Amino acid sequence: MEAPKPEEISHPPMDQLQGFEYCIDSNPSWGEAIALGFQHYILALGTAVMIPSFLVPLMGGSDDDKVRVVQTMLFVGGINTLLQTLFGTRLPTVIGGSHAFLVPIISIIHDSSLMEIHDSHLRFLQTMRAIQGALIVASSIQIILGYSQLWGICSRFFSPLGMVPVIALVGFGLFDRGFPVVGRCVEIGVPMLILFVIFSQYLKNFQTKKLPILERFALLISITVIWAYAHLLTASGAYKHRSDITQLNCRTDKANLISSAPWIKIPYPLQWGAPTFDAGHAFGMMAAVLVSLIESTGAYKAASRLASATPPPAHVLSRGIGWQAFTCIILITYRGLLHTGNWDSTGWTLWDIDWFYGVCFVVLTGKFGALFASIPFTIFAAVYCVVFGLVASVGLSFLQFTNMNSMRNLFITGVAFFLGLSVPQYFRDYTAAALHGPAHTKAGWFNDFVNTIFFSSPTVALIVAVFLDNTLDYKDSAKDRGMPWWVKFRTFKGDSRNEEFYTLPFNLNRFFPPA
């Protein structure tokens, strides 16, 4: 048998992914853009409902309070998405909920001064004000890191090898929000997972008027079908005598959002009163901001690759981080549960889609928004199994620019992945058993800082990978690390394509020249 040729064995590295019908600055039809933007809106609803549903009752809030928080998250997420797309990284990224802020927020909720308030609604309001104050202070730090270019300077220590576990664990690190949640209602979750994969992959060539409708709108179609199926089960009484946890994850009428939501609701600044400030609360929240910043960096890198753009230069990365925090302080709302992430399940990501996604979040904040937000969590978890897996695989794709026949690289990648998954799991297990994190000193702010940092898989991976990558034989390993390919993307003028992807609109670059 004739020996295979080298080109038949391996594939050359490629800057941009294949299989996209449109690139980042293409213009789809208005109808497609609206439908896909609405599809992204539906996907992001899962976390927007899940986090307040967990936190608001702990704060003493009612169903009405939960609805207001959900609507505020949707509204602020839409505004943040529009501004980020216009003036931030310019990447088609969307704002979704972040679990990075759960540790410091729960710490604030259990603050003794707040727990002593006997009136539940008053305790909710005071807790919200305390959270807002901590977020404002912590976000100010993020603004400094962004607009001063400090984070851009830090990013110069990143390499393709160092970023692989960080980006991959943005997806892999959320494995507990995938099938473990699907398993809470398998009769809905498993059909949703199977139907979504069939529509988006096996039937992707099915076309209507030359439009691959099943591939492009797989999420929207499959959620509609399974949601209707879940409502049929609910109406038929299938869950009438089941446990409360089963009903919460399976029923379509258990969230109590539609009945509590007004027809029209526009959130406004200071709707819960003036923020209150506490140094201890703010310091713990700073750790969450740092985690969100790292997770956002991984999401930006993944989004650039999914959008067929070049990796964002240091200047653009800093600009996106700065805008992410700046919009928070302007709106002074429940921004702390938000972070930038790319939710792409269609095979293409565009500015126009993101615009309509943002508009959906801003407009659909009343009963209509509550209607869509009543979709059971299990359906979203099934989608996350695919979407988070896709994000993780994008991170792995950066390995093509490195030498994976190097024991040095194998060591760094393996250790960063293992510790990135193992350390947060230890912190979660410890907290579940002891009802407090491993860091449990008399200094609450220190506990929040340490526990928040090590709860995040991408953050642990960044610490391990970047440290090892910049200390182990780094001078003689530039080629193995992928630096010859990576270095040209560090500066705005390093690659001619950067101007196409990252130039600010309205000729604003003359006032804010790229570095």
Side-chain angles (χ1 to χ4, degrees), residues 239-258:
Y239 305 110
K240 188 174 182 180
H241 302 294
R242 303 288 290 275
S243 65
D244 290 341
I245 188 67
T246 299
Q247 294 194 44
L248 179 64
N249 286 278
C250 298
R251 295 182 67 100
T252 58
D253 60 355
K254 200 65 178 176
N256 296 328
L257 293 176
I258 300 176

Side-chain angles (χ1 to χ4, degrees), residues 56 59-61 65 69 120-128 272:
V56 171
M59 299 160 64
D65 295 321
V69 173
S120 296
H121 184 65
L122 181 59
R123 178 160 62 90
F124 168 77
L125 293 178
Q126 294 294 341
T127 305
M128 284 297 298
W272 289 291

Side-chain angles (χ1 to χ4, degrees), residues 306-344:
L306 283 169
S308 294
T310 56
H315 169 80
V316 174
L317 199 60
S318 294
R319 192 173 71 195
I321 294 298
W323 266 103
Q324 188 179 331
F326 182 67
T327 49
C328 149
I329 293 183
I330 290 180
L331 295 167
I332 316 179
T333 53
Y334 207 64
R335 175 260 174 223
L337 304 181
L338 303 176
H339 82 118
T340 301
N342 184 68
W343 310 103
D344 172 68

Side-chain angles (χ1 to χ4, degrees), residues 181-225:
V181 180
V182 172
R184 297 174 186 172
C185 189
V186 292
E187 61 267 36
I188 292 176
V190 172
M192 176 64 203
L193 176 59
I194 294 174
L195 198 64
F196 185 41
V197 172
I198 290 175
F199 283 169
S200 63
Q201 301 301 318
Y202 291 96
L203 299 179
K204 62 183 179 182
N205 294 321
F206 177 83
Q207 296 189 356
T208 301
K209 295 183 179 180
K210 297 182 178 181
L211 179 69
I213 188 168
L214 289 182
E215 177 194 20
R216 196 155 298 171
F217 304 106
L219 176 66
L220 203 56
I221 296 172
S222 55
I223 281 185
T224 301
V225 172

Side-chain angles (χ1 to χ4, degrees), residues 55 58-60 101-117 123-138 276-286 288 334 336-337 444-445 447-448 452:
L55 290 177
L58 296 179
M59 299 160 64
F101 292 83
L102 289 181
V103 172
I105 288 180
I106 291 175
S107 178
I108 294 174
I109 291 173
H110 290 100
D111 187 287
S112 58
S113 63
L114 295 171
M115 293 297 291
E116 292 174 355
I117 302 176
R123 178 160 62 90
F124 168 77
L125 293 178
Q126 294 294 341
T127 305
M128 284 297 298
R129 294 168 187 172
I131 293 172
Q132 287 178 321
L135 290 170
I136 291 173
V137 175
T276 58
F277 298 91
D278 180 274
H281 296 166
F283 197 84
M285 199 67 74
M286 288 178 191
Y334 207 64
L337 304 181
W445 58 269
N447 301 336
D448 292 344
T452 300

